[in-house]
Amino acid sequence: MKNNFKFKVVTFLFVSSLTLPAFAFMGAMMNMGRQMMGPMNPMQMMNPSQMMMQMCGTGMGQMAGGAMNMMGSMMSMMPMGGNMMQGMSEGMMKQVLASPQMTLQALDCAHRNQQMVQMMLKTLSGEQRILHQMAQIMVRDPRISSSMMSLALTNPQVGDFLLTRMDGFVYNELSYAMLLQPGLATKVSTLVWQHRKRHLQKGSPMVDLMSRWGKVDEDYDELEYATERFLFSVFSDVRAAYVFMTALAETDEMTKGYLLDVIFLGKVKDYYYDSRTGKKSDAEFFNQSFHNLYAVTFGLNISLATPDKNGELGAKSNEGKALMKEMMKYMINHESKQPTEWGMRLMISLVAGGMIHQDERIGHFAQFLMKTMPPKFANGLPKSLDFPTPKPDFSLFEVR
């Protein structure tokens, strides 16, 4: 008991020796703030979070952040110190996230202050629900999602962190934000492209979430819906779709095949594990492949085949033509000009959506797409599809 008591006393004294100077430093900062901004009554006093935002870009702000990060690292080595520091950081982050304006200030600060980035990442890595709260806020406030994604694109550490920590909840919220906020899909695609070697690989959180669909005979899984929202958001924006397909093109052949199987065939390699044989087997979500392709088709119909306000087709822009060329690499066999397995499933989904379900958007895109196909492609389609073959327009492939 005596030894335990001595240990607690020593721990308390050690932690105090760390925290007292830090609080004294914060007090000195607040004192300086009062001198700079004049006298304030108690109701106007800024808390440490607000003071940190105010002094973010200054040398004092960098010193303050550095001191707090160093204190946190040292206190984390102590049994009670780590919990204390985590509690302080979590409390500050909760306070920041409670106010959209303070959240924007914190993100703006992180753009200019690497110490603030470290504080944010430490807090978010220690408490996943705060990351969930941040994801929810991103859906509701486009300013915050734009600032967060800009920070992730300019700071590789932040981008890698977000993709590493992405779980079903964050992926679901992100897909809604991409759907609701123009331009966000391009930023997400660019982030994926920047980290393609690490995060556009089988087994990475992002790819895992795109293909974690529960049971084959169930079509009402939240992650299935999230993937459909993700695909529609990406392919309805020419720039986002082109960047995404470029990222795919710059992966290895195994990854390309795996992702194309997931998106176009609903096929997930090594999905089930059989404990009796000790082997994994593939799963094919046939219905989900159609939902995925409807999402892709709806998106491409907007980005490529629907005239903009100036009457121009996205397919005639350089990026639109580059996107179509990139996609056709996987839809058509280069030598035989026949449809690949992915191309065949796409055409079958167009027949199902346009002719059977009578969806005008899918029918419109089907007509548009067939104009770009070489004659041998149409000849390779099953006769039972009875697919119309309008006069080809190969000028769509001519990149200026």
Side-chain angles (χ1 to χ4, degrees):
M1 287 292 290
K2 285 184 178 181
N3 288 339
N4 189 35
F5 175 74
K6 286 180 180 178
F7 176 76
K8 288 183 178 179
V9 170
V10 171
T11 300
F12 174 77
L13 290 174
F14 180 77
V15 171
S16 298
S17 71
L18 295 173
T19 56
L20 289 176
F23 285 121
F25 183 72
M26 292 299 291
M29 281 205 304
M30 296 181 75
N31 235 3
M32 183 178 294
R34 282 195 293 272
Q35 292 174 13
M36 291 168 60
M37 291 175 278
M40 294 183 287
N41 62 47
M43 295 299 292
Q44 294 174 311
M45 291 288 289
M46 287 189 289
N47 60 39
S49 303
Q50 292 170 317
M51 181 62 80
M52 185 72 185
M53 305 305 166
Q54 289 288 335
M55 305 182 72
C56 178
T58 66
M60 184 64 75
Q62 294 279 357
M63 289 174 61
M68 292 186 71
N69 283 328
M70 182 178 69
M71 182 178 71
S73 297
M74 294 179 69
M75 289 180 69
S76 66
M77 295 185 290
M78 302 303 297
M80 56 185 280
N83 291 335
M84 182 188 299
M85 193 62 197
Q86 180 61 34
M88 288 169 58
S89 298
E90 185 179 332
M92 283 183 64
M93 189 57 72
K94 282 182 180 177
Q95 188 179 57
V96 167
L97 292 177
S99 163
Q101 192 56 41
M102 284 191 70
T103 302
L104 281 171
Q105 288 178 342
L107 289 169
D108 179 64
C109 177
H111 279 279
R112 296 174 290 137
N113 188 326
Q114 184 60 26
Q115 298 297 340
M116 177 57 117
V117 171
Q118 299 306 320
M119 290 172 64
M120 290 177 66
L121 295 185
K122 280 182 181 178
T123 303
L124 292 173
S125 63
E127 189 59 64
Q128 189 78 348
R129 61 194 174 89
I130 296 181
L131 184 60
H132 289 177
Q133 188 178 349
M134 176 69 84
Q136 287 180 311
I137 293 173
M138 286 177 66
V139 176
R140 292 161 177 76
D141 196 323
R143 300 172 303 165
I144 291 173
S145 57
S146 178
S147 184
M148 172 61 87
M149 291 307 301
S150 294
L151 178 62
L153 290 172
T154 55
N155 191 315
Q157 185 182 11
V158 176
D160 180 74
F161 175 87
L162 291 178
L163 291 171
T164 300
R165 293 281 174 164
M166 188 174 292
D167 60 10
F169 186 93
V170 175
Y171 180 57
N172 192 60
E173 295 297 304
L174 178 64
S175 71
Y176 275 118
M178 291 169 65
L179 189 66
L180 297 170
Q181 300 169 22
L184 186 60
T186 297
K187 290 184 176 181
V188 173
S189 291
T190 305
L191 184 66
V192 171
W193 175 80
Q194 286 182 348
H195 297 272
R196 60 196 178 281
K197 291 183 180 178
R198 175 168 156 81
H199 290 287
L200 200 61
Q201 299 289 334
K202 181 185 175 185
S204 68
M206 184 79 181
V207 173
D208 178 55
L209 289 165
M210 288 182 69
S211 56
R212 196 199 304 163
W213 295 333
K215 296 181 180 179
V216 171
D217 56 350
E218 293 179 356
D219 289 331
Y220 302 102
D221 184 273
E222 281 300 317
L223 287 181
E224 293 175 4
Y225 288 142
T227 294
E228 291 164 38
R229 288 190 293 269
F230 178 89
L231 292 173
F232 172 78
S233 301
V234 167
F235 284 97
S236 60
D237 183 308
V238 171
R239 178 64 181 164
Y242 175 66
V243 172
F244 182 79
M245 292 304 295
T246 300
L248 180 64
E250 294 176 2
T251 60
D252 58 76
E253 292 304 313
M254 185 189 77
T255 299
K256 273 198 272 286
Y258 180 84
L259 281 168
L260 289 167
D261 279 352
V262 167
I263 296 171
F264 285 84
L265 306 180
K267 182 179 178 181
V268 186
K269 189 172 178 59
D270 298 334
Y271 193 78
Y272 293 115
Y273 176 77
D274 190 335
S275 58
R276 294 171 300 178
T277 63
K279 296 181 180 179
K280 293 183 178 179
S281 59
D282 302 344
E284 186 167 352
F285 296 75
F286 187 77
N287 289 344
Q288 185 58 37
S289 72
F290 281 82
H291 296 313
N292 288 346
L293 291 173
Y294 292 154
V296 170
T297 301
F298 291 148
L300 290 175
N301 185 53
I302 292 172
S303 62
L304 295 178
T306 302
D308 62 17
K309 60 183 179 181
N310 298 317
E312 295 291 328
L313 284 180
K316 289 187 176 291
S317 69
N318 284 344
E319 279 190 336
K321 292 176 181 179
L323 168 62
M324 292 177 68
K325 272 194 166 184
E326 200 61 49
M327 292 195 69
M328 290 306 162
K329 290 178 183 177
Y330 310 116
M331 302 300 103
I332 304 173
N333 182 286
H334 178 69
E335 295 180 356
S336 68
K337 305 302 181 187
Q338 299 280 314
T340 63
E341 189 177 9
W342 304 311
M344 183 68 77
R345 183 65 61 85
L346 173 63
M347 301 310 293
I348 292 173
S349 74
L350 292 178
V351 171
M355 295 185 176
I356 298 174
H357 299 302
Q358 294 293 304
D359 190 292
E360 292 183 4
R361 296 165 295 177
I362 294 178
H364 177 258
F365 182 74
Q367 290 286 331
F368 161 82
L369 187 63
M370 288 305 293
K371 290 180 181 180
T372 71
M373 296 296 183
K376 286 187 178 181
F377 181 89
N379 294 337
L381 295 174
K383 301 302 179 185
S384 59
L385 291 184
D386 192 26
F387 209 93
T389 54
K391 184 179 178 180
D393 181 8
F394 297 114
S395 67
L396 292 171
F397 283 110
E398 297 170 6
V399 181
R400 291 189 296 271

